[in-house]
Amino acid sequence: MDVALTGLRDARGLIRACLTLRADIFPDCEADPAAHRLSVPAADAGALAFENLPSGDYAVALFHDANGNGRLDTALGIPREGFGFSRNPTILFGPPRFAAARFAVRGGTINQPVHLKYML
């Protein structure tokens, strides 16, 4: 499964991505030991590849960790770094629900475009 990333503001830091099957913990899939995680230099993040996925309904959450501190920085609850989700759901107040970012993996090639959003 490939994630095509667009909207990256600059090449500093890392892109941190997490792919999960678990709706109950999305988008913070750190609590999911079976989640698939990637951290790649932002300069090399045009496409992210998740390999050997079993069939299921997944969702991707990712962010541009520009300062490399391992977390999404916020100011008054507003993200200061770029973020994105599979299926590019509309973001109003808070992250989308799993259902809005869900896509099916049933074998074959899956391409999921994700556009990074920057609020500040």
Side-chain angles (χ1 to χ4, degrees):
M1 198 281 297
D2 294 326
V3 175
L5 191 61
T6 61
L8 185 64
R9 275 192 185 164
D10 60 58
R12 293 178 297 136
L14 300 166
I15 299 297
R16 299 189 187 270
C18 190
L19 175 74
T20 186
L21 290 158
R22 299 223 2 227
D24 61 324
I25 50 94
F26 181 81
D28 182 16
C29 61
E30 292 301 316
D32 181 2
H36 301 268
R37 295 173 187 82
L38 291 175
S39 291
V40 298
D44 301 330
L48 307 173
F50 291 94
E51 305 287 333
N52 303 317
L53 298 176
S55 293
D57 290 336
Y58 291 87
V60 171
L62 56 82
F63 71 99
H64 179 198
D65 187 7
N67 59 9
N69 67 356
R71 62 185 174 86
L72 178 65
D73 296 325
T74 61
L76 300 172
I78 300 169
R80 298 183 67 191
E81 297 175 303
F83 61 92
F85 303 96
S86 45
R87 296 187 51 213
N88 296 304
T90 300
I91 304 298
L92 298 174
F93 299 101
R97 297 191 182 278
F98 183 85
R102 180 181 55 215
F103 62 93
V105 171
R106 304 284 186 259
T109 302
I110 305 291
N111 294 306
Q112 194 58 236
V114 173
H115 184 77
L116 284 172
K117 296 166 182 66
Y118 292 84
M119 306 297 281
L120 298 174

